[in-house]
Amino acid sequence: MDTQQSGVMRPVLDAQDISRVLTRIAHEIVERAKGADDVVLLGIPTRGVYLARRLAAKLEDITGSKIPVGSLDITMYRDDLRMKPARAIGRTEIPGDDIDGRLVVLVDDVLFSGRTIRAALDALGDIGRPRAVQLAVLVDRGHRELPIRADYIGKNLPTSLRENVQVQLQEEDGRDAVLLGQRTDRAAGH
């Protein structure tokens, strides 16, 4: 999340909108996977983990089955480690037995360049061999640098490179919102 923005951040999604798009994504996952029997959700820290947990709860409401949910730390797989200050290593938590032969849905808040997802795919490859990998994001803002696309998108939000997308979630920020504003530092954040 970029903390160096100027001007006013304009709300794009509120709490009710976020809940609604997560419900829609959950239904899309069930439809596309013909149920959710072999689905495992892995959130990309930080906000992707919270979104994955919420998505798992919605999937459980729809299917009546508990959906395994965990987290996938990508810190050591990032291609910008040399350019940014040292970061704390996060936790990877793989739920249940394993991910081998399962449908893994990676969950993140914002899809931008695609580099975070590339790192997640590399990290996932070191953990196991899923049957398939899909991607669910709350916001797709465009500007891809790699050939990566989301399978499930809460909101397509075309942006300029001078804009910043800020996702706030109750668990981390005390409220649910997606905000859009101008950037002052072109190299930071989403």
Side-chain angles (χ1 to χ4, degrees), residues 128-157:
R129 190 167 180 355
R131 175 178 59 78
V133 179
Q134 296 178 347
L135 175 61
V137 296
L138 184 60
V139 175
D140 183 345
R141 65 168 290 185
H143 304 288
R144 218 72 75 239
E145 296 172 6
L146 299 171
I148 291 174
R149 69 170 182 80
D151 298 279
Y152 311 103
I153 301 168
K155 180 161 184 70
N156 280 300
L157 186 62

Side-chain angles (χ1 to χ4, degrees), residues 7-128:
V8 176
M9 297 294 284
R10 174 177 62 90
V12 177
L13 296 175
D14 62 19
Q16 188 175 13
D17 296 327
I18 291 171
S19 179
R20 187 173 29 258
V21 298
L22 289 175
T23 299
R24 178 175 45 79
I25 289 172
H27 281 281
E28 290 173 6
I29 290 170
V30 169
E31 181 178 337
R32 196 165 177 181
K34 296 179 177 45
D37 295 338
D38 72 339
V39 171
V40 174
L41 299 175
L42 292 180
I44 299 171
T46 297
R47 287 164 185 80
V49 174
Y50 301 128
L51 292 170
R53 289 177 187 154
R54 292 182 189 190
L55 205 48
K58 290 186 181 288
L59 284 166
E60 188 173 343
D61 288 345
I62 295 166
T63 65
S65 300
K66 189 156 182 63
I67 305 300
V69 61
S71 62
L72 182 65
D73 178 59
I74 62 163
T75 304
M76 298 310 296
Y77 296 88
R78 296 186 61 90
D79 62 3
D80 61 356
L81 284 175
R82 300 183 309 274
M83 300 181 294
K84 292 191 176 183
R87 307 168 209 215
I89 305 292
R91 289 185 56 178
T92 292
E93 296 177 12
I94 304 301
D97 300 331
D98 206 339
I99 61 166
D100 291 341
R102 308 284 301 267
L103 169 59
V104 173
V105 179
L106 296 173
V107 182
D108 204 6
D109 56 351
V110 178
L111 179 57
F112 184 25
S113 68
R115 292 184 181 280
T116 296
I117 304 309
R118 189 230 18 105
L121 291 170
D122 288 348
L124 197 57
D126 282 351
I127 293 168

